């Protein structure tokens, strides 16, 4: 037995026990199932990976998810006067079928991975057959290190994530600042997007509803106090807020690393397979970053882990796969 070490610092640990169906892959002759699978990262990709892995490997396999902060990753909310408002990813397009489904459902030498973490009771570790890293391995986003691997696994990977500030304001917007001549009571536009201009204080301004609409809820008109969400490159100063709003009752700010910084000279895309049965789900973000793509990647990663485990190599690299997928799409 060979043992490799993953160090996950300052992480809280919990178990996932979700009933699923034996679904997406099948074979007449399968080897013994893995005993334990670890997923590092409890965002949309990590949670969905746990769901798909449960479908593939069935109920007996133990699936553990590690997450340093609140579950949800870059999907977050802020509570304002008893109602939750989205501060992170919040747009689901009607054609994002995987995301819509997620919202609706919610033999040879053996080698193992040792995951070291810090929980409520102090340092601990566990041994796993399969590990999926579902959190970005980039500077400022994780504190994960790998030891005992040949060739070595870099940590962090090169590249940076785009810094974004979300500001929720409970107040009355200043329509004259927006260049609107009509009366505030007649202004019915709920979303304003700006061009890439450093002189502008924000990227977008939106009137938002609570995540759970109370009975009889109606969005207040612009000339009344309501919740607005602003995306900006930097925190908004009080002077800027005074220009954008006539008045406000409260301001809530969240700074976060939203998505990779795509430049004219991009870094090489990280690998999806870091080592035998050690996978990196978040590599997909360096192709494109959105909730739907994270869910698709989680499904594919579960299938990849399943086929690798059962040596079903004919189902991994399929020469006609591109043609068939293009027909399905």
């Amino acid at each position: 037995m060979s043992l490799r070490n993953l160090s996950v610092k300052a992480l809280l640990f919990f178990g996932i026990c979700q009933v699923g169906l034996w679904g997406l892959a099948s074979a007449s002759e399968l080897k013994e199932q893995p005993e334990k699978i670890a997923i590092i990262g409890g965002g949309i990709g990590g949670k969905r990976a746990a769901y798909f892995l449960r479908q593939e490997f069935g109920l007996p396999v133990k699936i553990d998810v590690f997450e340093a902060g609140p579950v949800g990753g870059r999907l977050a909310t802020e509570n304002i006067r008893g109602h939750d408002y989205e501060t992170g990813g919040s747009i689901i397009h009607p054609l994002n079928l995987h995301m819509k489904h997620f919202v609706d459902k919610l033999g040879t030498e053996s080698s193992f991975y040792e995951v070291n973490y810090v929980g409520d009771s102090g340092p601990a570790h566990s041994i796993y057959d399969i590990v999926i890293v579902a959190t970005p391995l980039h500077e400022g986003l994780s504190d994960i290190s790998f030891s005992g691997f040949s060739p070595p696994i870099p940590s962090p990977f090169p590249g940076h994530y785009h810094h974004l500030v979300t500001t929720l304001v409970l107040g009355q917007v200043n329509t004259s600042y927006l260049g609107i001549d009509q009366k505030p009571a007649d202004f019915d536009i709920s979303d304003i997007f700006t061009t890439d201009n450093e002189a502008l204080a924000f990227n977008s301004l939106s009137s938002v509803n609570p995540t759970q609409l109370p009975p009889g809820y109606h969005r207040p008109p612009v000339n009344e106090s309501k919740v607005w969400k602003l995306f900006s490159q930097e925190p908004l100063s009080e002077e800027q807020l005074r220009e954008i709003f006539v008045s406000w009752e409260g301001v809530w700010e969240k700074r976060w690393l939203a998505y990779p910084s795509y430049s004219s000279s991009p870094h090489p895309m990280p690998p999806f397979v870091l080592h035998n049965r050690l996978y990196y789900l978040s590599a997909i973000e360096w192709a494109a970053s959105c909730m739907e793509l994270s869910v698709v990647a989680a499904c594919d990663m579960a299938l990849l882990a399943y086929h690798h485990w059962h040596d079903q190599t004919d189902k991994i690299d399929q020469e006609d796969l591109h043609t068939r997928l293009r027909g399905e799409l």
Side-chain angles (χ1 to χ4, degrees):
M1 178 185 75
S2 61
L3 190 66
R4 295 174 177 86
N5 182 276
L6 288 76
S7 177
V8 185
K9 301 178 181 177
L11 289 186
L12 300 179
F13 167 78
F14 58 94
I16 288 290
C17 186
Q18 180 179 8
V19 177
L21 299 176
W22 188 275
L24 301 181
S26 62
S28 57
E29 296 183 4
L30 300 177
K31 69 179 184 181
E32 186 177 350
Q33 296 283 62
E35 293 183 7
K36 298 172 68 178
I37 299 175
I39 299 173
I40 301 174
I44 184 67
K47 291 189 293 182
R48 197 55 173 167
Y51 173 81
F52 286 122
L53 287 166
R54 178 64 69 209
Q55 285 188 313
E56 291 307 316
F57 287 102
L59 293 175
V61 177
K62 180 176 174 58
I63 300 175
D64 293 330
V65 178
F66 295 82
E67 173 55 53
V71 176
R74 281 164 282 168
L75 304 183
T77 59
E78 185 72 52
N79 189 277
I80 300 177
R81 292 189 172 179
H83 299 293
D84 291 327
Y85 293 86
E86 298 282 1
T87 60
S90 59
I91 299 175
I92 302 177
H93 192 276
L95 294 180
N96 290 164
L97 302 181
H98 290 83
M99 192 64 198
K100 289 176 65 178
H101 176 73
F102 184 34
V103 172
D104 292 338
K105 294 292 184 182
L106 275 186
T108 54
E109 178 192 1
S110 297
S111 62
F112 302 90
Y113 293 107
E114 179 182 6
V115 177
N116 294 273
Y117 58 94
V118 179
D120 292 336
S121 57
H125 68 93
S126 295
I127 307 299
Y128 295 93
D129 302 285
I130 298 171
V131 175
I132 293 179
V133 180
T135 187
L137 292 173
H138 290 76
E139 186 175 356
L141 285 162
S142 69
D143 193 12
I144 298 173
S145 61
F146 302 87
S147 61
F149 290 87
S150 181
I153 299 174
S155 182
F157 278 102
H160 299 279
Y161 271 62
H162 184 75
H163 178 265
L164 194 66
V165 180
T166 303
T167 305
L168 295 178
V169 179
L170 175 59
Q172 183 180 342
V173 75
N174 180 7
T175 54
S176 62
Y177 171 82
L178 303 174
I180 305 300
D181 296 330
Q182 63 191 118
K183 296 180 180 179
D186 300 328
F187 182 71
D188 58 358
I189 297 176
S190 60
D191 298 279
I192 298 173
F193 301 94
T194 68
T195 58
D196 187 9
N197 188 333
E198 295 182 357
L200 297 174
F202 57 85
N203 299 344
S204 65
L205 171 68
S206 303
S207 171
V208 293
N209 294 324
T211 57
Q212 299 292 331
L213 298 180
Y217 174 83
H218 295 285
R219 178 179 289 181
V222 173
N223 60 336
E224 295 182 11
S225 184
K226 59 193 299 187
V227 177
W228 295 86
K229 178 165 70 173
L230 300 95
F231 285 135
S232 59
Q233 304 295 321
E234 301 294 337
L236 297 174
S237 65
E238 184 170 342
E239 181 181 355
Q240 290 171 323
L241 289 172
R242 292 187 184 280
E243 290 179 339
I244 302 171
F245 293 92
V246 175
S247 62
W248 65 81
E249 302 173 47
V251 178
W252 295 262
E253 180 188 278
K254 179 177 176 61
R255 307 180 190 190
W256 52 306
L257 298 173
Y259 50 85
S261 294
Y262 305 110
S263 64
S264 57
S265 300
H267 296 281
M269 187 170 176
F272 289 97
V273 181
L274 299 176
H275 198 268
N276 183 30
R277 292 184 277 107
L278 173 60
Y279 305 95
Y280 184 32
L281 189 152
S282 297
I284 191 66
E285 289 196 75
W286 289 88
S289 180
C290 66
M291 292 186 290
E292 175 74 1
L293 200 56
S294 293
V295 174
V296 173
C299 176
D300 292 342
M301 196 64 66
L303 284 170
L304 182 63
Y306 182 87
H307 293 318
H308 273 162
W309 179 264
H310 291 292
D311 297 321
Q312 298 173 340
T313 56
D314 60 312
K315 295 186 178 181
I316 297 174
D317 297 320
Q318 303 177 44
E319 294 183 359
D320 63 337
L321 183 60
H322 177 73
T323 302
R324 290 192 287 109
L325 285 178
R326 185 171 57 184
E328 292 177 4
L329 296 174

